[in-house]
Amino acid sequence: MAERSIPNGPSGRDRESALLHAFGQGDVAAAAELIDLVCPRVLAQATRLMGSRAEAEEIAQEAMVKLWRAAKGDEIVTARISTWLYRVTANLCIDRLRLRRTTLAMHDLPEPVDPAPGVAATLQDQARKAALRAALADLPERQAMAVSLRFMEGLSNPQIAEIMGVGIEAVESLTARGKRALVAALADRKEELGYADE
């Protein structure tokens, strides 16, 4: 890559688009600035979905490589960068979760070295998240993405529709079916996961 720079000009979405174009042209300074802008969002999304900072960092790196390849091929010219990255990151996480189907069961969680108040609650929370990620990985891909973007990322249905390239009614249907499937998948583990009274 050649060392160039983009003059300060537009901000927000326009700035990201200008940086993306320069990134695809091999501008090192633009690449660094764009990655600084978007990588924290990708890392946060991947951390929430994976429950592992180390795996999230690997996914963020993969997403940045995909961003560079897309910039070179003008793949995301018509989409907002943030929308495109949400979709790419969710897909990378779901793919990795599918490969990691054998998640830790409650009895496999490591014992804390220094027990302190709240450890039992922490372990239960970890078990719940592990069970949710395992169940999410078993859903059809579109349902898994809709559910993760809605309930784990907290995005609105219109935002999810834009990310997935579908209508709002389709998002509502996918999230409803995905949520029902998750409830059914976790029904036998309610007591183990501390949901027996709910």
Side-chain angles (χ1 to χ4, degrees):
M1 280 191 183
E3 181 86 41
R4 293 196 293 277
S5 65
I6 279 217
N8 288 330
S11 59
R13 181 178 173 181
D14 290 339
R15 178 72 177 168
E16 287 184 359
S17 296
L19 289 169
L20 180 68
H21 178 73
F23 186 13
Q25 300 297 312
D27 186 329
V28 174
E33 184 178 345
L34 183 61
I35 288 170
D36 284 346
L37 284 173
V38 301
C39 199
R41 283 177 268 167
V42 171
L43 188 57
Q45 180 189 1
T47 301
R48 283 189 292 271
L49 288 170
M50 300 304 300
S52 162
R53 177 76 179 195
E55 283 188 292
E57 288 175 354
E58 291 175 8
I59 286 167
Q61 288 178 358
E62 289 180 55
M64 292 305 100
V65 170
K66 285 181 177 288
L67 179 63
W68 177 68
R69 288 179 179 153
K72 287 189 71 172
D74 291 330
E75 180 183 329
I76 58 178
V77 167
T78 59
R80 290 182 60 179
I81 296 170
S82 58
T83 299
W84 186 88
L85 277 172
Y86 261 120
R87 183 169 54 239
V88 166
T89 304
N91 279 331
L92 287 170
C93 290
I94 290 165
D95 288 347
R96 192 170 284 233
L97 285 168
R98 288 209 165 100
L99 292 173
R100 195 181 74 181
R101 284 184 193 275
T102 54
T103 55
L104 290 173
M106 184 94 171
H107 61 272
D108 291 329
L109 289 169
E111 289 294 324
V113 176
D114 182 20
V119 168
T122 299
L123 291 177
Q124 188 162 72
D125 184 57
Q126 289 174 349
R128 286 175 175 179
K129 288 177 179 174
L132 178 60
R133 286 190 293 270
L136 188 67
D138 284 334
L139 292 181
E141 185 174 319
R142 285 161 58 84
Q143 285 182 29
M145 182 182 293
V147 167
S148 68
L149 292 173
R150 181 72 184 93
F151 298 106
M152 298 179 84
E153 292 302 306
L155 299 182
S156 67
N157 287 343
Q159 289 173 311
I160 297 168
E162 183 182 358
I163 288 167
M164 296 185 67
V166 298
I168 293 175
E169 287 184 6
V171 171
E172 291 170 351
S173 174
L174 288 166
T175 53
R177 284 185 286 143
K179 188 176 177 183
R180 283 196 300 271
L182 287 177
V183 169
L186 298 174
D188 293 341
R189 302 185 63 188
K190 285 184 76 172
E191 186 172 344
E192 171 195 346
L193 297 173
Y195 292 122
D197 298 329
E198 298 180 16

